C-alpha cells in the first residue's frame, strides 16, 4: 500500500504532485499538539515517503491556525523522571532529521515549543505571515526537550536563543525571516504557504535525487562538523557524484544546450 493510501488517526498524507509527498498534522481541536501517538504516525508516514523512489521531496504542514502549538501537555504533566529517561521520551522526534530526502516545513499560525522544534528539524522552512514561533517551555517549569535550544542557537546565535529560551517570548514570521530561522515569508492567502512549499518541492524533485541527497548531507555537515571536516565531506560527496549517470547526463545536457533527463542513478 502506498503512503498516501494509508489512513492515520492524527495526520493526513497525500501527493499534491506526483513527486512530492505532503504530510498534514491533523489534531485540530488540540491545535496539532504533538503527542507520542501522533509522532509514531508522523515518523511512519515520513519513512514511507522517504523510501518511495517516485518521491523527490516532502512537505510537512499543519493548519492555518496552528502548525503545531506544542507538545501535548496532558501527556507530559504527570510523567516521572524514571519513565521519561528509561523510555527515551522525545528521542524518536529526531527521526525526521535522518531522512535522506529534503523536508520542507510550511508553517502557518502557532509553531510553539515542540511545534517550533519540529519546524527547525526540517531542511527548509517557509512561513505564512501569520506564523508565530517560540520556545515557551520555561513558562511551565521546564526547558525545550526536542532540540529547540540547540537548533535555534545554530540558527540565530547564543544571545537571541538565550533571550527566547529564558523568557519564553514568541517571535513573528518577520523576525524569523530577518534572523534566518525561515527561508522566506510567502503570500498571505489561505493555503498559500503550502502551495509555495509544494512548488518548491516540485522544483527540487526535478533534480537528480542522488545530487539532492548529497547536497543535503553536505549542508548538514556544516552544522555538525568543523570547517575542515565539513570541507572534506563536501569534496568527497562532490567526487562521488562523478560515479553517477545523472552527473554525466546533467553536464552533457548543459554542453548540448538541452534540458537534462535525470534517472536518479
Amino acid at each position: 500500500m502506498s503512503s498516501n493510501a494509508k489512513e492515520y488517526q492524527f495526520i493526513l498524507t497525500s501527493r499534491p504532485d506526483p513527486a512530492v509527498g505532503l504530510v498534514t498534522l491533523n489534531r485540530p481541536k488540540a491545535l496539532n499538539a504533538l503527542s507520542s501517538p501522533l509522532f509514531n504516525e508522523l515518523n511512519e508516514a515520513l519513512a514511507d515517503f522517504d523510501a518511495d523512489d517516485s518521491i523527490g521531496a516532502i512537505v510537512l504542514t499543519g493548519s492555518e491556525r496552528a502548525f503545531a502549538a506544542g507538545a501535548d501537555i496532558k501527556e507530559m504533566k504527570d510523567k516521572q523522571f524514571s519513565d521519561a529517561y528509561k523510555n527515551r521520551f522525545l528521542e524518536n522526534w529526531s527521526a525526521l532529521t535522518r531522512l535522506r530526502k529534503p523536508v520542507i516545513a510550511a508553517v502557518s499560525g502557532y509553531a510553539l515549543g515542540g511545534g517550533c522544534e519540529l519546524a527547525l528539524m526540517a531542511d527548509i522552512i517557509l512561513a505564512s505571515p501569520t506564523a508565530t514561533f517560540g520556545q515557551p517551555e520555561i513558562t511551565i517549569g521546564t526547558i525545550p526537550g526536542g532540540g529547540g535550544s540547540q537548533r535555534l542557537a545554530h540558527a540565530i546565535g547564543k544571545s537571541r536563543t538565550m533571550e527566547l529560551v529564558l523568557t519564553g517570548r514568541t517571535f513573528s514570521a518577520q523576525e524569523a525571516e530577518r534572523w534566518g530561522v525561515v527561508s522566506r515569508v510567502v503570500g498571505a492567502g489561505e493555503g498559500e504557504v503550502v502551495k509555495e512549499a509544494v512548488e518548491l518541492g516540485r522544483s527540487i524533485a526535478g533534480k537528480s535525487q542522488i545530487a539532492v541527497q548529497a547536497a543535503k548531507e553536505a549542508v548538514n555537515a556544516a552544522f555538525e562538523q568543523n570547517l575542515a571536516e565539513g570541507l572534506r565531506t563536501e569534496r568527497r560527496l562532490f567526487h562521488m557524484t562523478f560515479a553517477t549517470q545523472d552527473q554525466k547526463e546533467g553536464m552533457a545536457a548543459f554542453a548540448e544546450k538541452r534540458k537534462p533527463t535525470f534517472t536518479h542513478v
Side-chain angles (χ1 to χ4, degrees), residues 15-111:
R15 290 174 72 151
D17 180 271
V20 178
L22 173 63
V23 180
T24 304
L25 306 180
N26 188 37
R27 292 188 71 199
K29 292 181 180 177
L31 296 180
N32 293 329
L34 301 170
S35 63
S36 292
L38 180 150
F39 243 97
N40 290 337
E41 291 187 355
L42 176 60
N43 286 340
E44 180 184 344
L46 290 172
D48 282 353
F49 278 141
D50 201 44
D52 188 332
D53 287 340
S54 67
I55 293 289
I58 303 166
V59 174
L60 175 61
T61 193
S63 67
E64 289 291 321
R65 191 175 174 201
F67 175 74
D72 193 329
I73 305 300
K74 291 179 181 177
E75 179 185 1
M76 290 193 295
K77 66 183 183 67
D78 298 321
K79 193 174 285 292
Q80 297 296 318
F81 163 74
S82 58
D83 175 27
Y85 180 72
K86 287 194 298 183
N87 294 302
R88 301 173 181 268
F89 185 51
L90 300 193
E91 285 189 32
N92 70 331
W93 282 30
S94 60
L96 187 155
T97 64
R98 294 189 290 273
L99 300 178
R100 296 296 295 271
K101 292 171 184 172
V103 178
I104 304 160
V107 179
S108 295
Y110 298 114

Side-chain angles (χ1 to χ4, degrees), residues 36 59 93 129 132 200 223 238:
S36 292
V59 174
W93 282 30
T132 301
L200 177 59
F223 288 91
F238 168 67

Side-chain angles (χ1 to χ4, degrees), residues 57-61 67 96 101-107 118-127 133 180-184 186 193 196-197 200-201 203-204 212 216 219-220:
I58 303 166
V59 174
L60 175 61
T61 193
F67 175 74
L96 187 155
K101 292 171 184 172
V103 178
I104 304 160
V107 179
L118 179 60
L120 288 169
M121 286 184 234
D123 300 302
I124 300 169
I125 307 174
L126 299 186
F133 300 88
V181 176
V182 307
S183 181
R184 63 181 188 273
V186 303
V193 69
E196 191 75 20
L200 177 59
S203 173
I204 292 169
V212 165
K216 171 176 170 171
V219 174
N220 280 332

Side-chain angles (χ1 to χ4, degrees), residues 129-193:
T130 66
T132 301
F133 300 88
Q135 299 293 159
E137 291 87 350
I138 201 79
T139 66
I140 57 170
T142 187
I143 69 170
S149 66
Q150 306 303 298
R151 292 191 174 92
L152 264 183
H154 275 300
I156 65 176
K158 176 182 174 180
S159 183
R160 281 192 181 125
T161 300
M162 277 288 189
E163 179 187 349
L164 294 171
V165 171
L166 298 186
T167 66
R169 88 161 177 91
T170 61
F171 56 101
S172 68
Q174 292 71 30
E175 285 177 297
E177 182 181 41
R178 193 164 67 243
W179 295 346
V181 176
V182 307
S183 181
R184 63 181 188 273
V185 178
V186 303
E190 184 171 342
E192 193 67 28
V193 69

